[in-house]
Amino acid sequence: MKRILAIVACITSCLVAFDSAAQPGKPDSSIHLYLLVGQSNMAGRGKPDAQSRLTNAKILMLDSTNSWVPATDPVHFDKPQMAGVGPAIGFADEMLREENNISIGLIPCAWGGSPVEVWKPGVAYLSAHPYDDAIRRTKIAMQKGVLKGILWHQGEADNDSIRSKKYLSELVLLVQRFRKDFSNEQLPFVAGEVGYFNKRNFINAIINQLPNQLPYTSVVAADGLTDKGDHLHFDTPSARELGKRYARAMKQLQKK
């Protein structure tokens, strides 16, 4: 019971810190924010397990009401009936490794099934406006902390011989647009390869060209990762491993 009370007290303390740490216009530099965008494998479709219920007082997420809550899977709420384990918490855990003086704020904005073409201002997708919503929610989060980077996992919807040909130009414009809207031309942006278990693989070779097009960008590999049996979505262990790979790439970009 004492241990449970201690955990609750620690989480409450962190929530209070997020709610009160920064005055308007004065975000807390120890609160590192990360925007999570893309489609279903960023949102997460892995099966929740016992580990999914664990919380870390230093890892919070912005929920659907724009409130800070302890981060647990599913982090995303794009499709509640499908949402599961994604790379977000694995990423945050790895970012906190050997870091004692920061907290992580996750900003989930991915939408399952979304093609890259809907990630533009004013474009609707299902019940959302993916790009506009991401900008709006991130600016709300930036009242409390500092945006340190963007994680992008998307490409399954564009993984064919036709759409893949124009994918790189769309992705470059997306990164440039994010950086302009967040007033940071050096904002780190990490993209991820789609799983090699996909029936088609036109898109990974395209995604891997991004660092040659724009500075402060990186791509994480999906080799060795496995699907949950549908040849489309990462299983739970692979989603967590993917998150760690994102974190290692992000840390390298932040050193530049």
Side-chain angles (χ1 to χ4, degrees), residues 26-255:
K26 295 182 180 179
D28 187 337
S29 61
S30 72
I31 299 175
H32 292 189
L33 306 174
Y34 291 94
L35 172 60
L36 315 175
V37 281
Q39 58 181 115
S40 57
N41 273 312
M42 178 56 74
R45 297 295 186 259
K47 184 178 180 180
D49 56 13
Q51 185 175 333
S52 302
R53 296 190 293 271
L54 301 178
T55 58
N56 182 332
K58 289 192 172 186
I59 304 175
L60 299 184
M61 62 187 189
L62 197 68
D63 70 9
S64 60
T65 68
N66 297 321
S67 298
W68 290 109
V69 298
T72 57
D73 287 311
V75 169
H76 277 78
F77 44 84
D78 59 317
K79 298 179 179 180
Q81 71 279 15
M82 300 179 183
V85 178
I89 295 180
F91 166 81
D93 282 334
E94 189 70 16
M95 291 301 294
L96 287 174
R97 187 181 296 275
E98 300 177 358
E99 293 284 354
N100 299 319
N101 300 316
I102 66 169
S103 297
I104 301 292
L106 301 170
I107 311 166
C109 293
W111 270 91
S114 60
V116 69
E117 65 184 10
V118 307
W119 287 89
K120 298 176 182 177
V123 179
Y125 177 74
L126 300 179
S127 61
H129 289 79
Y131 185 83
D132 297 331
D133 293 343
I135 296 298
R136 175 181 54 81
R137 281 170 50 77
T138 302
K139 289 187 175 181
I140 290 172
M142 289 171 70
Q143 296 173 17
K144 304 298 182 185
V146 178
L147 183 63
K148 289 291 187 175
I150 300 175
L151 276 59
W152 170 260
H153 199 285
Q154 191 279 337
E156 293 88 349
D158 299 277
N159 193 14
D160 61 49
S161 60
I162 303 299
R163 291 186 176 188
S164 62
K165 290 180 180 179
K166 59 180 182 179
Y167 187 84
L168 183 60
S169 61
E170 295 273 16
L171 185 56
V172 167
L173 287 173
L174 176 66
V175 178
Q176 293 173 330
R177 192 180 301 119
F178 271 133
R179 288 175 171 173
K180 180 179 179 180
D181 285 344
F182 294 132
S183 301
N184 185 350
E185 292 300 319
Q186 298 179 358
L187 184 63
F189 184 101
V190 182
E193 290 185 334
V194 304
Y196 282 89
F197 42 72
N198 277 260
K199 296 176 182 178
R200 299 177 176 180
N201 191 1
F202 293 93
I203 205 72
N204 280 342
I206 307 299
I207 295 172
N208 274 286
Q209 295 178 42
L210 179 63
N212 297 326
Q213 300 293 316
L214 289 173
Y216 304 101
T217 64
S218 184
V219 176
V220 295
D223 59 297
L225 302 182
T226 54
D227 68 293
K228 66 174 191 175
D230 60 359
H231 301 287
L232 181 61
H233 297 109
F234 296 108
D235 61 18
T236 295
S238 292
R240 289 176 177 146
E241 170 59 26
L242 182 64
K244 293 178 181 179
R245 295 181 185 184
Y246 269 105
R248 290 192 285 268
M250 182 63 71
K251 287 182 178 182
Q252 287 300 313
L253 287 180
Q254 291 174 347
K255 291 178 181 179

